[in-house]
Each structure stands twice: as structure tokens, then as C-alpha cells.
Amino acid sequence: MTIAITQDDIVQGALDAASSPPSVAPPKGQVRKDARRDLGPVLAGNAALGLLGIAFLIPLAWIIVGSFDAKATWGIELPHWTLSNFSAALADGGLRSLGNSLLLSVTASLVSTVVAVMAAYSLVRRRVPWKGPLLLVVLFLSAIPVAIIIVPVYQIYVSLGWLSILPSALFLGVTSLPFEIWLLKNYFELLPVDLEEAAAIERANTYQILRRVVLPLSFPGVAASAIFGFVNAWGSFIVPLVLISPSSQATGPITIFGFMGAADVRYGDIAAFSLMYSVPIFILYGAMSRFFQGGFVLSGGVRG
Amino acid sequence: MASVRFEGVWKLFGDLPAVAGLDLDIDDGEFVVFVGPSGCGKTTSLRLLAGLERPSYGSIWIDNDDVTRLPPGKRDIAMVFQSYALYPNMTVERNLAFGPTVRREDKRELPSRVHQVASVLGLELLLDRKPAELSGGQRQRVALGRALIRQPRLFLMDEPLSNLDAALRVQMREELVRLHQLLSVTTVYVTHDQVEAMTMGDRVAVMNGGQLLQVGTPDELFENPGDLFVATFVGTPKMNTFSAELTSDRDGSTAIRSLGISVPVTDWQAAQLLQGRTQTPVVGLRPSDLHWEAEASPECKAHLKGVCSMIERLGAESFASVTIGDVVMKARLPRACRVNADEPIDLAFDPADLYFFDPQLGKAIVERPGAAGQKNQELQQNATAIPDIAPSRRMVNQ
């Protein structure tokens, strides 16, 4: 067998040789200087931040210590180790109130996120008359404290016979809407409109564009919005207190409130229940940080 | 496959006409290029045709259907975006299959269609990758593939090559032309690059300030530019322009005086120049028509002496900036001419290669023989007539 070398091979070989990268290494042994200058301000800054951090950590430390302390008080002491605070906190409807909180928060989050996605998308991509003023109104709404409107809402709910958990979830969902609309609006505005136009040319309808293009690309934003809705309902005290009438539908914060009697305060139960009540929030924030580490998923889709 | 007709199409953004009175017919199977500087209305025209914008006035027809109010999805078109607009969350395969899927087309045929398109574009090995893992050229192919899989009656391309490097751009240019010859689907292509326009288009539509200035084959535009803008926009390096004075000798022969010399013009030039109103036309001369005297043909009866102020050597040829009096002219010089900067150089040109324009209106005043000029003149008049419905003429008149 003979190996025929064609003109092309020769030309290609020469091309390859000409275009191979040069073998030059950067100079070695250069050390970064200036690294130890201006130590004073850095130390002062870190000390201030450390003090602030400790101030935030004290209540958390109390919760952890108190929940394991058989003789818990309002102070932080070396605990008399026990797990009975946990069982005591979950007895007498405590466990059920956790379930109620979950139902309330998931429903509220679902309601607010679905509505906020549609509202934000319309505000970003559609021609909405008075769009600017409308968005400002939404922004102001997010600043109104729930306590101001809770009394009229209570009156409305009484007349409708709605003093129970699901209507309360609806109201809580509405209270987180303004913030979620703004959050999602800012997210959707970052999406290149080309992608949606390309889909529209392919005869995709608005629902298909939302489901196949917009939502997958803005997943971190939608997740953040849903988590905000969940946490907003999960931590709400006054709304379930006023709007939920049956004691069997009481949520977590109401249960904690119940641990504070007129005669004595069950500090150990409060700490144990608070610790358990914080677990879902820790999990959600952990999950959220993973979404955000994934970064913006737009790379490679569009240029320019 | 389809023909396209723009009928008096205007698009106003506020008071600004982005497209001003566009009238254009595109034949079935034609490759038409919209070209012009940025902000000239070429992309807006394309988006109007795609249905991504609604015209303020006028109507757009595809075949015999008035599509002016039809949403983009119902026009049976495919568009390649400048940004490629690939879905970053989907693999190449799903990007290609996106259109047929949302249109609920036959699922059984889909894999074979995807593979067919992928093989035409050389994407078979990339089907499982996401856009972020592709090079610019590969992304461009995926965007093209997404258009091909639709088998539309119209292809729209919005500066599809502008994000590629120079070598790849030339390669993709050839590939696009080859694809068009293969499929002969009517294609409307937008670019700001006149080389791209001239090499790819069956016909080229030159736009500026929202107006269609001229439409014609690349040869027509080069040979008979309708006005000074088209003349200087088409061809690289751009055409030299200078003012001149028309003179008539006692023996009846006509000449122009400029650049310190008097150049007798040809009979057909003289006939048209004398009909015109102006005595001081703007004269154009392409760098490729301005020759080094040592190698000039016998027809080059006009001789110029100048000083080379700058020279760009490209290997096969050089481009020199030559100062003649107070005018700087570009000239294309052969390799054999070894002139350096600040050295004198003798140049020559054939008076028949001159272009003449009205100094006030910028319109061409001499029709050059050879190209199909008549059609141009008509289009010229249509394109520049501004209808009374114009709410604002500020932009148009600039």
C-alpha cells in the first residue's frame, strides 16, 4: 500500500505549521506587592461588621440554647439538656399548626406567583395604557402595612363568611403581589425580546411563549418570587390571627403566641417551636442560593 | 415561495418616520438586499414585513394576500435574527424542533426533518449541545436551520453575518447564496455592509433616512447610481467627488474644468449635461477608474499630477490618497507602482468613466450607457415623491 500525499495535504501541513501557537511562557517569579498596605481601615471595618453580626446572632443563639434547656428563661444560659421542649411544643395542635402554615404559605405563594408572572409579563411586553403611573401605584401598594387594611378586610371576610385558612391565603398572596410584580418585571425586562419575537414568528401563542421561552429563562426570578410569597405568608402573624376563626386552623405563629400565657411564658416551648418553624426557611434559602449560583442562563442565546 | 409588495408603507416612531413611503415589488424567488447606514429604516422595513411592527400607513402584500394586519405567526415566514435568538435553555435539536412543536406538526416526521436540516448545515454532531457550547458560526447555522426547517414561503434575514469574524463571514456569505440557489425561496436580507449587499443580492435596495433611494441589480447601482448617496455608498473605496465647471469651446465641444485641468467630455455626456440646469456639476470618479499613468489605457485622455499623501498596500494592489490641488482623491494602483508617501505621482482617467450629479439635489444628471438605466430613473422618481399624508417632513428632507 502506498500513501499518496496530495497537493492539498502539503498545503494543509504548511498551514497547520504556520498557525501553531508560539511557545512563549509569561515571566515567572513576579510577586504581588502592595498587598499589606492600609491595614487599619480594613480592621476597623471588619470589627464593625463583626459586632453587627454578633447582635444578629444573639437571638438565634437563644433559640438554639433555649430549645434544649429544661429550665429555659429569657436569658442565654448553659442548658439543662432535654428534648422534651420539642415534644411539648408539638403537642396540643402544635404539629397541626405546622401543617396549617404549610397549606397557607403554599397556597399564598401559588396565588401570588401565578398572578405576578402574568401581570409582570403583560406590563413588560404589552402596550398597557398609563403603564408608568400604574407601576408606581403598585410600588406604593407594596409599602402599605397590612395592619392598616386588616380591619376593613376583616369586615369584608365576616360578611362573606370567609374567616378560614384558604381565603386568608388568598389575602396573604395579594399582599405579596406588588413586590413580586416588581421583582418579576425587572427580571423579564432583562430577557432579550428577540427570543419571544422568534417564537411569535414560529406561530407560538402567548401561553406557549411564556411556558417554553420566558419561564425557563427567568426561572431564578420566578423561584425567588415564589419563595418571597411563601416566606411572607409563613411568617405572618396578624393576618392569620385576625382572619382565621377556627382554632383547628391556627398557624405556627399563633401557636407560639399561645405559649405565652398570662401567668407564665413557656420559654423552652417557644424556642423549640421557633427552631422547627425556621427549618423550612433555611431549606428554601439554601435552595434559592443554588439557583442563583447557576447564574443567568442566557449565555449563548443571543449576542450583541 | 412568494412575491412581496410594499405599497406606500410608512412607519412613524412618534414624529420620526423610520420608513417613509416605501414602494417596492419583490419577485418570487428573488434575493433582495436592503442596505444602508444605521438608522436608515432597513431593519424596520424587514420587521414590518415580518409583522413584528405595524405600518403607520400603507399596506404590505405577500403573494396576493394583504398581510398588513396579520400577526407574524400567520405570515408563513422564517426569520434569522442578528442576535440569532437561539433558546439558550434548549439543545440544538430542540431549538430546531421548536417551530414544528409549537405548531403541532406531525411528530413522527420531526426527527427526520431535524436530521435532514442538520445534515444540510453540518450540525449533526452538535445536536445535543446547548447554544452556549457553540461557536459563533455554529450558532449562526442553528439560527439558519431553524428557518430552514419551516420551509417558509419567505426568508427574512436581519444582518445575520454581522457577529461573525471576517473570514467566517465570507464563507457564510457563499453558503447563504448556495442555499438560496438550492431552495430558491424569496429572501429579504438586511445588511449595512455594501460588499455583502453587492455580492449576495439579485437586487439591492439602498435606503437612507427612511427612504428607498434606489433599487436595482448590483451592476445597475454601480454603473448608474441614481444619486450621490448611492454613488458614494456603493463600491469600496468610496467614489471620489469634486466640483467642476461646465465649459463650451468655440468649436462646440464641451469640457469640464476641475482639478486644474480641462477635460473634454464624450458626446453622450455633453448632450445630457447641456440639457441639465446646472453649470457646476458635482463630478464622481471611482478609485478603480483613476489609473497610474504608466499603465493607463489609451482612452485615459485626462492626466493629473498629484502628491501621494498616504498609501495602503494590500499586496495585490494598493490604495493611495493623492492630493491634487485642494482635493484628496483615492486611486487604486497596481502592484508595480512603488510610489511612497509624499512623492509625486501621475494619474490618468477616461472621461467616459466620470459620473455627474446635480450640486443641489444630488441626483445623477448623466445616464451612463450599458446598464438598464431607464428602470432606475422611474423608481427613483417614485421613491422620492413624498405623499401629502406625511405628518412630519423633518427627517425625510434631511
Side-chain angles (χ1 to χ4, degrees), chain A residues 73-281:
Chain A
T73 64
W74 54 269
I76 300 180
E77 296 161 3
L78 273 180
H80 304 80
W81 290 102
T82 179
L83 290 173
S84 64
N85 287 343
F86 289 92
S87 51
L90 290 179
D92 296 335
L95 185 62
R96 191 177 55 218
S97 72
L98 283 180
N100 287 340
S101 276
L102 199 64
L103 176 66
L104 180 86
S105 307
V106 168
T107 312
S109 169
L110 212 64
V111 167
S112 60
T113 307
V114 168
V115 176
V117 163
M118 294 195 280
Y121 185 71
S122 309
L123 284 167
V124 170
R125 293 293 189 235
R126 302 281 152 164
R127 289 176 60 133
V128 178
W130 300 97
K131 190 188 280 186
L134 203 65
L135 277 166
L136 274 182
V137 168
V138 170
L139 188 66
F140 284 131
L141 284 179
S142 68
I144 294 181
V146 172
I148 290 180
I149 49 173
I150 193 77
V151 173
V153 170
Y154 173 75
Q155 294 288 351
I156 296 169
Y157 271 42
V158 167
S159 63
L160 291 170
W162 273 14
L163 293 177
S164 59
I165 195 162
L166 287 179
S168 300
L170 183 71
F171 177 66
L172 279 168
V174 171
T175 60
S176 62
L177 256 186
F179 180 81
E180 288 188 40
I181 289 175
W182 268 87
L183 183 86
L184 286 167
K185 179 190 91 76
N186 292 341
Y187 228 92
F188 291 156
E189 276 173 350
L190 292 176
L191 292 182
V193 73
D194 279 5
L195 296 177
E196 290 155 58
E197 288 181 342
I201 285 177
E202 299 277 20
R203 214 192 292 160
N205 56 38
T206 307
Y207 167 72
Q208 285 172 318
I209 292 175
L210 253 181
R211 192 172 76 79
R212 291 175 179 273
V213 180
V214 175
L215 289 182
L217 294 181
S218 46
F219 184 69
V222 176
S225 167
I227 288 172
F228 176 83
F230 184 92
V231 171
N232 177 55
W234 186 258
S236 175
F237 173 65
I238 192 162
V239 172
L241 182 72
V242 176
L243 294 187
I244 298 179
S245 168
S247 60
S248 65
Q249 295 183 4
T251 59
I254 312 293
T255 303
I256 295 179
F257 185 55
F259 292 149
M260 295 183 234
D264 80 316
V265 177
R266 293 155 62 185
Y267 285 111
D269 296 357
I270 291 174
F273 196 89
S274 301
L275 191 63
M276 288 185 285
Y277 205 64
S278 309
V279 169
I281 305 297

Side-chain angles (χ1 to χ4, degrees), chain B residues 232-292:
Chain B
T232 50
F233 190 78
V234 169
T236 41
K238 71 178 207 174
M239 180 189 280
N240 301 302
T241 52
F242 45 93
S243 57
E245 197 183 335
L246 206 57
T247 56
S248 293
D249 286 355
R250 265 159 288 162
D251 61 356
S253 67
T254 307
I256 56 158
R257 190 175 298 151
S258 184
L259 307 169
I261 56 168
S262 181
V263 181
V265 296
T266 63
D267 292 345
W268 54 268
Q269 285 171 326
Q272 295 181 71
L273 278 171
L274 293 174
Q275 277 175 14
R277 289 169 297 178
T278 181
Q279 287 297 306
T280 53
V282 172
V283 181
L285 179 63
R286 295 199 183 275
S288 51
D289 292 332
L290 187 54
H291 306 282
W292 184 37

Side-chain angles (χ1 to χ4, degrees), chain B residues 337-379:
Chain B
C337 175
R338 304 306 302 177
V339 68
N340 292 313
D342 298 328
E343 287 177 7
I345 181 168
D346 293 342
L347 299 169
F349 63 89
D350 179 357
D353 288 333
L354 293 175
Y355 297 71
F356 296 91
F357 304 94
D358 185 292
Q360 268 91 45
L361 305 171
K363 301 292 168 211
I365 46 180
V366 171
E367 179 87 21
R368 292 152 57 84
Q374 188 60 36
K375 199 170 155 196
N376 270 331
Q377 290 277 314
E378 284 167 20
L379 272 162

